[in-house]
Amino acid sequence: MDFKSVAYVVVSAKSDGSYRGGIMVVDRRGLPVEFHYSEKVNPTKIQKVLYGNVLTKFIKENVLCENLFSALKNKPDLLITDDREFESVSDHFDLPVIYLERTKAEQLKKGETSREIGERSVLFQAQKFENPLMLRFLNVEPDKQKDLIARLVKLSETIDLLEPLSRIDEALAVAEKEEEK
């Protein structure tokens, strides 16, 4: 079964200590179906002391991701991120969550779509890339991983799997500039 829609989520920590997030649902052609972004989240000095090393995790999980995802009217079939810290957040969702990253690894052999490189990680040869992507299954059971890879291969025939993440980054930068006016 093909993906009907895929959500991409970005949460970024700013140099001023604030956080902002965005989520975009795209159809199988990469066209935006829905987009939401958060206002700037500025933790107080007291919150920084009380939450310590778990502040970023708390803001990503409880403040940004849950709120952004719950705002969606179009529930996606898959959630993609390029944030390694999403591992703990992935348990909050009832859909597959994966992490994707560009690599400089050599292209996989002809006919090979993936190669296991760790317990929950594979090199994945997407159609639009010369080099394979590193794909990490954040909450996908091992028996469902091969099917998910096959569905991603099909999706990668029509869209660049990483490009929507850069669109979200750009939209968040535009939102920030608009707020400064």
Side-chain angles (χ1 to χ4, degrees), residues 27 29 33 87 102 117 121 142 166 176 179:
D27 68 12
R29 297 170 297 158
V33 174
E87 190 135 2
R102 293 185 194 281
I117 57 171
S121 300
S166 61
E176 194 157 335
E179 288 174 6

Side-chain angles (χ1 to χ4, degrees), residues 37-61:
Y37 67 94
S38 71
E39 297 297 318
K40 210 176 206 185
V41 175
N42 291 301
T44 66
K45 289 179 183 179
I46 291 174
Q47 286 173 320
K48 289 176 184 177
V49 170
L50 292 176
Y51 284 91
N53 293 339
V54 296
L55 177 67
T56 298
K57 179 181 173 184
F58 172 77
I59 289 173
K60 284 183 179 184
E61 283 182 27

Side-chain angles (χ1 to χ4, degrees), residues 116-181:
E116 192 172 315
I117 57 171
E119 185 180 330
R120 292 180 4 221
S121 300
V122 297
L123 286 177
F124 165 70
Q125 191 66 56
Q127 299 297 321
K128 305 267 182 198
F129 295 95
E130 277 189 34
N131 303 84
L133 301 174
M134 197 278 279
L135 184 159
R136 181 155 176 82
F137 301 102
L138 300 184
N139 68 345
V140 181
E141 297 299 321
D143 62 324
K144 301 200 189 300
Q145 292 174 3
K146 285 192 188 297
D147 177 60
L148 184 68
I149 291 169
R151 293 169 71 194
L152 282 169
V153 167
K154 188 154 178 70
L155 182 64
S156 75
E157 292 170 0
T158 57
I159 70 170
D160 174 335
L161 294 174
L162 287 173
E163 188 270 339
L165 292 163
S166 61
R167 282 191 265 162
I168 296 170
D169 281 331
E170 288 178 39
L172 293 175
V174 168
E176 194 157 335
K177 284 181 183 167
E178 290 293 317
E179 288 174 6
E180 291 172 359
K181 288 183 180 180

